[in-house]
Amino acid sequence: MRGRSILALAVLSLLAASGAARADEIRLKDGTKITGTIVGFENDSFRVETAYGFALIRKDKVADINITAAKKEPEPKAAAKPAAAPEPAAPSATPAIDPAVVKQPASSGSAGASPSNASADAASITAMRAPINPGTSSPAAAKGDMAAPKIRAVATEAPAPPVAAPVPPPPPEPPVIRDEIRGNEYVNETYGFQMYRPPSWDVIPATRKALPDAVAALGTSDQNTLLVIGRAPAKDSLDAHATATERALKDVYENYRLISTRTLSVAGVPAIEQRSRGTVDGRDWSVILLTLFKDNNAYTLMGMTWANSDLIQVQENVIAKAVGSFTFVKQ
């Protein structure tokens, strides 16, 4: 279990610096699975942020930890704009119904017309002469003609359906890392770099798979000494990236203390080296952290070894030699 906690420290440190979104799945020894985000390690327990709050999980209850990159959240759909009110249609080229003309009846002197019928006809004529629309007057009405109202057709358009926002493409699959050991050299052909490999170090694929930004991991079989190399897009300056990584170490280690900081040149580019000490799992660890930028990418090399060992100075020198030999090769 001690080896697992060491790997978890490396994972937490580099992830906190890169700022990558992730989803951690912690499987306990009794089969229970807890999904959330590991944000720290305190009192021999992992501090996990879950959907229902923070939880402390004792490390001796943990069977394994799977840390995977979270899927990118789709962009929110734009709210559909309300359809504009339709404008009234232009008047038709041909007017609607022409006014119907009603001629006046014959005068009261017509044969066979009774006085009562004459009065009714006069009233009808008077009513016909009144305009149809009280608010307007027409020449036809003035002449005793009655005009029917014009009929206008109003065109209506159905509102356009809302356009759904395009679904973002899935994140690209990480490239298959091709690396190998050539004698006392470790060569990473995928990302084009190499470095010195101490004879007692081997490649540790489990650590590289546990960390989304890890491109290499080496160390001793007992995991008392470990080196993890992370690669992520450079989002800020070299100083800011190194400071963020060093701040993450403070949250991971107990009794954390920064020993030294210096600027040097590694692989032909400026780099920042930070040396620190911290306690975890009842042990004091020595950490060498190196940060450098190359082609808009930030490379973080974090080497750690057990500080209580009698060979602490030897292991620190071995880590420093491996980190200092880091260089890029032409592809």
Side-chain angles (χ1 to χ4, degrees):
M1 186 56 62
R2 179 177 55 81
R4 293 183 183 273
S5 58
I6 296 175
L7 298 184
L9 289 176
V11 169
L12 288 172
S13 301
L14 294 183
L15 273 180
S18 65
R22 68 189 194 277
D24 306 338
E25 182 181 87
I26 303 175
R27 185 172 63 87
L28 306 184
K29 293 179 179 179
D30 60 1
T32 303
K33 292 183 179 180
I34 300 174
T35 302
T37 303
I38 300 176
V39 297
F41 185 85
E42 56 187 53
N43 297 329
D44 293 338
S45 299
F46 292 99
R47 182 176 177 84
V48 183
E49 182 179 4
T50 68
Y52 49 83
F54 290 91
L56 289 177
I57 304 173
R58 291 185 57 83
K59 64 179 182 59
D60 55 3
K61 303 294 184 181
V62 177
D64 56 45
I65 301 175
N66 293 322
I67 300 178
T68 57
K71 295 182 180 179
K72 183 179 180 181
E73 293 293 334
E75 296 180 358
K77 296 183 180 179
K81 295 183 178 179
E87 297 182 359
S92 177
T94 60
I97 304 172
D98 290 333
V101 178
V102 181
K103 294 183 179 180
Q104 297 181 7
S107 63
S108 59
S110 301
S114 63
S116 59
N117 290 337
S119 298
D121 291 341
S124 300
I125 293 173
T126 302
M128 291 178 183
R129 288 178 179 176
I132 299 298
N133 187 352
T136 60
S137 61
S138 68
K143 293 179 181 179
D145 298 333
M146 182 177 66
K150 292 184 179 181
I151 300 175
R152 297 179 181 271
V154 179
T156 58
E157 297 180 358
V163 180
V167 179
E173 292 292 333
V176 177
I177 297 179
R178 294 179 291 108
D179 56 358
E180 62 178 340
I181 292 176
R182 301 174 184 173
N184 286 340
E185 283 189 345
Y186 167 80
V187 180
N188 191 303
E189 298 176 355
T190 301
Y191 293 103
F193 65 83
Q194 65 183 31
M195 57 184 294
Y196 166 72
R197 181 195 71 90
S200 59
W201 286 16
D202 294 317
V203 175
I204 307 177
T207 303
R208 188 179 65 200
K209 293 180 180 179
L211 178 61
D213 290 334
V215 297
L218 301 92
T220 57
S221 58
D222 57 7
Q223 297 182 11
N224 283 341
T225 302
L226 183 70
L227 175 64
V228 180
I229 302 174
R231 176 182 181 270
K235 299 179 181 179
D236 42 29
S237 66
L238 177 63
D239 289 338
H241 193 91
T243 300
T245 307
E246 194 263 340
R247 188 184 301 115
L249 293 179
K250 293 181 181 179
D251 297 334
V252 173
Y253 289 89
E254 299 176 4
N255 192 28
Y256 174 85
R257 51 211 185 271
L258 181 64
I259 304 301
S260 63
T261 300
R262 63 170 180 153
T263 302
L264 66 163
S265 178
V266 175
V269 297
I272 296 178
E273 181 193 85
Q274 299 163 305
R275 297 196 178 203
S276 59
R277 291 281 183 94
T279 303
V280 65
D281 205 13
R283 285 185 164 186
D284 197 29
W285 295 89
S286 173
V287 180
I288 297 179
L289 186 67
L290 185 77
T291 306
L292 59 91
F293 281 9
K294 175 70 172 179
D295 298 333
N296 297 323
N297 289 304
Y299 289 84
T300 303
L301 289 78
M302 188 178 74
M304 52 190 300
T305 187
W306 185 27
N308 294 338
S309 170
D310 295 335
L311 301 177
I312 173 61
Q313 292 183 349
V314 175
Q315 294 298 339
E316 286 178 339
N317 292 336
V318 170
I319 293 176
K321 181 178 179 180
V323 169
S325 68
F326 184 89
T327 185
F328 294 98
V329 295
K330 295 182 179 180
Q331 293 179 293

